[in-house]
Structure formats: structure tokens, C-alpha cells
Amino acid sequence: MNSLLIHLAGQLSAELGSELYLKVKAESQTPGLFCLDFTEVSEITEVGREYLKKTATRCKEAGSKLVGFGVRDELISQLDQVCTSYETKTEAIQYLETFIMDGTPANELTPLPEIPAPNYTITQCPNCFSKLRIQTFGDHLCPNCHTKFFVGKKGWAQTYERLL
């Protein structure tokens, strides 16, 4: 799992907000942990706040976690419902560390147990909703619409995000 500490300084406006969003978007191709340092941020504009919301939404969609720390008292109200905020860097990092499991990086491929041959799971293609019998978990290709999707251990299916 990737982790990144981002130091912000000055006025969080369109320019800095845009750079922040693009950096997090590039780094969140796989789930990651992002910690924003607000100790040197003097002001957050409306556009900057919208970029923070957009960044938080991107993290949520990618399965990443986003937290901040060192937010001045007068700016705390602007970060409500955008990201979790902590007073110190240590508290923020300790919170993020709770999402690291088993010491194994999240982006490492681990072999998944196969379901015995007579057993199978019925799932639906997330694109065309065709019923499919799946014998193993992992990546699959729908024979009808040729959509690539992932089947999790509990039998749910999820498509991969396409970049346009």
C-alpha cells in the first residue's frame, strides 16, 4: 500500500488545489494512504475547498484513505465533511497505520484459494448482467460482452475503471 505525506503551504486556492488533486489522482491508481499537512496553510478559498472535496472523492473511489493534520482553528469549519482532521502528525499517521494489514502490502498479489471443482458460485456480469458460474475468485472475462471484471471472495463482482 502506497503512503504519501503532502505538505501544503500558503493559500489553498485553485492552483494549489488542482496540483493536489492531480498528485493524489496519479498516486491513487492502487489504494493508498494520504496525509495532508495543513500547518502552513493560511487560507482555504471556496475553489480550494472544492478541490479538496474532489480529492477526497477520488480517494474514496480508489479505496484510499485521506486525512489531514495541523489545521488552524479558523479553517477547521471549512474542512468539515471533506476529510478527517487531527491535531498532530503523529495522531494522523497512527490512524492511517490502522489500515495496513498483516505487514503485507495491499498491492502485492497473494494467491487466492480455489473453490473445489464441483462447487461454483453464480454471479452476474456487472456490465450486461448475464448469470455466470465462477469456480475461482479473481479476474474474469464475460463471454457475452467481453467486459473484464473481478470477483471477490464473497462472490461480488466489480468492473475495472476505464481511463478515457
Side-chain angles (χ1 to χ4, degrees):
M1 182 172 272
N2 297 332
S3 60
L4 193 60
L5 174 61
I6 302 172
H7 297 280
L8 303 171
Q11 182 184 43
L12 182 56
S13 60
E15 185 179 348
L16 184 58
S18 173
E19 288 181 36
L20 171 66
Y21 174 74
L22 292 175
K23 180 65 175 175
V24 169
K25 182 179 178 184
E27 295 293 327
S28 66
Q29 297 300 320
T30 59
L33 306 173
F34 299 97
C35 188
L36 304 178
D37 179 359
F38 286 96
T39 54
E40 296 181 28
V41 173
S42 59
E43 180 183 355
I44 300 175
T45 66
E46 273 302 309
V47 177
R49 186 171 189 272
E50 291 302 314
Y51 270 110
L52 276 175
K53 282 183 184 178
K54 189 175 179 180
T55 303
T57 302
R58 170 64 187 168
C59 286
K60 187 176 180 180
E61 290 170 353
S64 298
K65 298 295 178 191
L66 178 70
V67 298
F69 71 91
V71 182
R72 295 181 182 182
D73 292 338
E74 62 270 13
L75 301 177
I76 283 239
S77 63
Q78 295 180 359
L79 289 181
D80 287 345
Q81 300 175 349
V82 175
C83 69
T84 306
S85 179
Y86 291 92
E87 287 186 26
T88 66
K89 178 180 175 181
T90 306
E91 292 173 334
I93 290 174
Q94 285 176 347
Y95 170 76
L96 289 174
E97 285 176 346
T98 62
F99 295 99
I100 299 174
M101 298 178 209
D102 310 8
T104 305
N107 58 354
E108 292 293 320
L109 295 176
T110 55
L112 296 172
E114 291 190 18
I115 299 173
N119 295 336
Y120 57 87
T121 301
I122 295 181
T123 190
Q124 287 185 333
C125 170
N127 188 40
C128 68
F129 304 106
S130 299
K131 288 188 178 184
L132 304 170
R133 282 189 278 180
I134 305 294
Q135 291 184 339
T136 60
F137 303 109
D139 293 331
H140 292 279
L141 186 68
C142 177
N144 296 328
C145 67
H146 303 288
T147 299
K148 187 175 181 181
F149 61 95
F150 178 82
V151 177
K153 289 182 180 181
K154 294 184 179 179
W156 48 264
Q158 180 178 9
T159 58
Y160 287 99
E161 192 175 311
R162 289 186 181 179
L163 301 176
L164 301 175

